[in-house]
């Protein structure tokens, strides 16, 4: 009986099974598969098959020119970051004007650009918010704006470097402006013709914007500077690159062009005052 069972067991086993009836089916298959994996030949890679390449992050080599530029940028940024902010002065504006026009103006023409000290308001000493500064330079603002009823004009212009900065300034002057009508005078998302129509329809007391758009409004007859009493430059504020408004060549050029569109003559007649915030 035992022999019959033994013969029957061997007959029922699949090929490649373990050599002993006492060995379990799982162990037998596992050993056989491992042996097959170890002894199976590895197929040769075809010449056309591309082997996967390991990916490494390689830093690009820095050229001498790049290194020089990097050192210059770091040096300028470090100097600006470590230097103590200084309030703007009328002399700063006068010097920038002379430097800008010195290459294409005669000595006599340069002298004509000089502005009297009387046309400058007290500069911001870096302790003021915009509202507190405007209250200091224009304590009679409420009375002044109540008497203003001319369209296509403003009583006060605040000039800054960008549309985003203009929005920041408008938000920060709430305590000063009160019920005054304020208009955004920049190019971002606003067409110049739309601004011309708005200035024609209603009385505006305050304008905040960029010199380029203000210039364009004057050219197209949408903005008359004669009623203007105060022109304030956002002088001391610095952007992410630590540049002031007048440190940016494009903005500086537009500011000086704006000054020649009637601002300088109004300053000399003492009907217009300049402020450096």
């Amino acid at each position: 009986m035992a022999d019959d069972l033994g013969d029957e067991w061997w007959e029922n086993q699949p090929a490649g099974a373990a050599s002993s009836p006492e060995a379990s089916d799982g162990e037998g298959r596992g050993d056989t598969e491992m042996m097959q994996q170890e002894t199976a030949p590895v197929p040769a890679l075809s010449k056309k098959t591309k082997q996967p390449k390991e990916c490494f992050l390689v830093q690009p080599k820095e050229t001498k020119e790049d290194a020089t530029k990097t050192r210059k940028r770091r040096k300028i940024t470090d100097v600006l970051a470590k230097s103590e902010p200084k309030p703007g002065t009328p002399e700063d504006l006068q010097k920038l004007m002379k430097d800008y026009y010195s290459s294409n103006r005669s000595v006599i023409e340069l002298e004509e650009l000089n502005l009297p000290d009387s046309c400058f308001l007290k500069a911001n000493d870096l302790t003021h918010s915009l509202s507190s500064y405007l209250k200091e330079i224009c304590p009679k603002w409420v009375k002044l704006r109540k008497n203003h009823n001319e369209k296509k004009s403003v009583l006060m212009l605040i000039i800054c470097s960008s549309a985003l900065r203009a929005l920041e300034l408008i938000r920060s002057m709430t305590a000063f402006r009160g019920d005054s009508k304020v208009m955004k005078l920049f190019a971002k998302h606003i067409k110049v013709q739309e601004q011309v129509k708005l200035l024609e329809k209603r009385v505006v007391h305050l304008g905040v914007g960029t010199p380029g758009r203000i210039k364009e409004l004057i050219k197209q007859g949408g903005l008359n500077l004669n009623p203007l009493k105060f022109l304030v430059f956002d002088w001391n504020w610095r952007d992410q690159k630590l540049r002031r408004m007048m440190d940016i060549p494009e903005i500086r050029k537009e500011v000086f062009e704006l000054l020649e569109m009637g601002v300088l003559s109004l300053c000399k007649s003492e009907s217009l005052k300049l402020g450096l915030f």
Side-chain angles (χ1 to χ4, degrees):
M1 180 75 66
D3 292 339
D4 293 340
L5 288 172
D7 294 339
E8 184 179 356
W9 184 86
W10 281 109
E11 290 173 359
N12 292 331
Q13 295 305 306
S19 59
S20 170
E22 288 84 1
S24 67
D25 293 344
E27 290 177 354
R29 284 194 300 270
D31 292 344
T32 305
E33 289 173 359
M34 288 178 64
M35 290 176 65
Q36 288 176 347
Q37 290 176 0
E38 291 176 358
T39 58
V42 179
L45 290 172
S46 172
K47 290 183 179 180
K48 295 183 179 178
T49 305
K50 293 184 179 179
Q51 295 192 21
K53 295 183 180 179
E54 294 185 27
C55 181
F56 296 97
L57 292 176
V58 181
Q59 294 292 338
K61 293 183 179 180
E62 188 178 52
T63 63
K64 291 183 179 180
E65 185 178 354
D66 293 337
T68 304
K69 289 181 179 179
T70 303
R71 283 195 297 271
K72 285 182 179 179
R73 284 197 299 269
R74 287 176 180 171
K75 185 177 180 181
I76 294 170
T77 305
D78 292 342
V79 170
L80 290 172
K82 293 178 181 178
S83 62
E84 294 184 4
K86 294 181 181 180
T89 63
E91 290 76 20
D92 293 337
L93 179 58
Q94 301 272 33
K95 184 178 183 303
L96 284 173
M97 289 178 65
K98 285 185 177 179
D99 291 343
Y100 181 80
Y101 289 113
S102 60
S103 61
N104 56 11
R105 298 289 176 94
S106 65
V107 176
I108 297 175
E109 288 173 330
L110 289 174
E111 289 179 357
E112 291 176 351
L113 294 173
N114 289 333
L115 294 172
D117 293 337
S118 59
C119 78
F120 285 94
L121 297 160
K122 183 179 179 181
N124 178 22
D125 60 1
L126 304 182
T127 63
H128 285 285
S129 65
L130 180 57
S131 284
S132 65
Y133 176 69
L134 296 179
K135 286 180 179 180
E136 181 174 333
I137 65 173
C138 184
K140 297 181 180 180
W141 173 253
V142 176
K143 182 180 178 179
L144 191 64
R145 70 174 173 80
K146 284 182 178 179
N147 295 329
H148 177 64
N149 54 15
E150 292 186 46
K151 296 178 181 178
K152 298 173 65 175
S153 66
V154 294
L155 289 172
M156 180 182 290
L157 271 177
I158 300 175
I159 299 177
C160 57
S161 58
S162 68
L164 289 176
R165 178 58 180 166
L167 295 175
E168 289 178 7
L169 291 172
I170 292 171
R171 287 193 293 266
S172 66
M173 63 192 293
T174 305
F176 170 77
R177 75 185 191 189
D179 296 331
S180 304
K181 301 298 181 184
V182 182
M183 188 166 174
K184 305 166 187 175
L185 302 177
F186 49 74
K188 193 171 185 179
H189 306 311
I190 307 174
K191 294 181 179 179
V192 65
Q193 290 301 326
E194 293 176 4
Q195 292 171 332
V196 169
K197 289 179 182 179
L198 287 173
L199 288 166
E200 290 175 346
K201 287 181 180 180
R202 64 183 184 181
V203 174
V204 180
H205 305 100
L206 273 160
V208 184
T210 55
R213 175 48 59 93
I214 294 170
K215 271 174 45 191
E216 191 61 31
L217 288 168
I218 295 170
K219 285 181 182 178
Q220 297 199 20
L223 183 63
N224 177 20
L225 292 181
N226 288 328
L228 185 64
K229 300 300 179 186
F230 301 94
L231 191 149
V232 179
F233 293 105
D234 185 29
W235 192 267
N236 297 300
W237 181 79
R238 295 180 184 272
D239 62 12
Q240 292 182 345
K241 297 181 180 179
L242 301 177
R243 300 175 302 178
R244 297 177 304 172
M245 176 179 71
M246 298 300 278
D247 294 329
I248 304 171
E250 298 83 2
I251 302 297
R252 184 170 61 246
K253 177 177 179 290
E254 290 179 339
V255 166
F256 291 140
E257 289 176 353
L258 174 61
L259 291 179
E260 289 194 281
M261 296 178 71
V263 173
L264 293 178
S265 59
L266 290 172
C267 289
K268 290 178 180 179
S269 66
E270 298 189 357
S271 65
L272 174 63
K273 303 291 185 182
L274 298 178
L276 305 178
F277 172 65

